[in-house]
């Protein structure tokens, strides 16, 4: 997420202190640096994109092949710049470039989305999920595991908190979806379709309350993203 709100003040993950000039965008870089080495060990290349897309003249790469690439990217784009949060459009663009072929080939994938707010166009985001479920038969229990989307909340804005609740959905005592994205998809396809998972950046940086530190951190974020 490169929307302007990512320039809001944030706690520096290295010392858990508020520092002048330290922003959510800075924490985003630290978070990506924390998981990229493990990701590259699993897959030699990793797709990368900001949303909204940066000026093409900056030459921001769409593939990361080494941890040093992250440093290079954030030198090209040192601050967030976007006027909105086009999450659905960003995922659709990623789908056309990479995910479509993976799903066609029945190759599993995980997309990790770092964001500090809700999608500017929630209907568009819902339509993206409807489209890939319909096109690639992801309502089938055997195929649902092909696609995983983990949304990590940066900061603590109420809009982001509400967005994560929407993505997770709520269920009644019988375990049936009663609200959120899971209900939208269940109404569309008549079966439960669970494609989105959520996590807080506090968990990624090892400062979530009530959870042992050994069970937190970037590697655990990645593990949960792949296996949930």
């Amino acid at each position: 997420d490169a929307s302007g709100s990512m320039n809001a003040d944030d706690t520096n993950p290295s010392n858990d202190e508020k520092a002048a000039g330290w922003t959510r965008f800075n924490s985003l870089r630290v978070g990506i640096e924390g998981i990229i080495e493990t990701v590259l060990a699993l897959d030699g290349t990793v797709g990368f994109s900001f949303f909204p897309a940066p000026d093409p003249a900056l030459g921001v790469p769409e593939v990361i092949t080494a941890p040093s690439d992250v440093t290079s990217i954030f030198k090209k784009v040192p601050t967030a710049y976007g006027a909105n949060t086009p999450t659905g459009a960003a995922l659709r663009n990623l789908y056309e470039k990479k995910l479509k072929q993976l799903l066609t080939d029945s190759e599993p994938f995980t997309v990790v989305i770092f964001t500090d707010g809700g999608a500017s166009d929630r209907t568009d985001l819902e339509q993206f999920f409807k489209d890939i479920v319909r096109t690639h038969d992801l309502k089938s229990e055997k195929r649902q595991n092909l696609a995983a989307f983990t949304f990590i909340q940066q900061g603590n804005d109420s809009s982001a908190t509400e967005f994560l609740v929407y993505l997770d959905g709520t269920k009644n005592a019988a375990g049936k979806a009663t609200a959120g994205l899971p209900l939208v998809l269940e109404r569309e396809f008549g079966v439960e379709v669970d494609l989105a998972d959520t996590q807080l950046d506090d968990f990624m940086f090892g400062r979530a309350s009530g959870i042992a530190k050994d069970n937190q951190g970037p590697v655990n974020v990645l593990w949960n993203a792949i296996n949930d």
Side-chain angles (χ1 to χ4, degrees), residues 10 92 114 135 143-144 149 174 183 203 207 211:
D10 199 21
R92 190 169 288 105
F114 296 86
T135 302
R143 291 186 60 79
Q144 274 190 42
F149 298 84
L183 181 61
F203 181 87
R207 59 192 184 207
I211 304 174

Side-chain angles (χ1 to χ4, degrees), residues 136-210:
H136 299 283
D137 190 29
L138 298 184
K139 66 181 184 294
S140 164
E141 187 174 347
K142 290 183 178 180
R143 291 186 60 79
Q144 274 190 42
N145 291 334
L146 291 176
F149 298 84
T150 292
F151 292 78
I152 297 178
Q153 179 181 339
Q154 300 281 133
N156 57 4
D157 286 359
S158 59
S159 64
T161 301
E162 187 275 331
F163 184 53
L164 263 64
V165 171
Y166 152 80
L167 291 168
D168 277 331
T170 54
K171 294 184 178 183
N172 59 23
K176 297 290 291 181
T178 58
L181 180 62
L183 181 61
V184 170
L185 296 178
E186 185 171 325
R187 284 175 171 171
E188 184 76 11
F189 300 105
V191 296
E192 183 178 351
V193 182
D194 184 12
L195 297 180
D197 183 37
T198 64
Q199 193 56 263
L200 302 177
D201 63 350
D202 280 349
F203 181 87
M204 180 171 60
F205 297 132
R207 59 192 184 207
S209 60

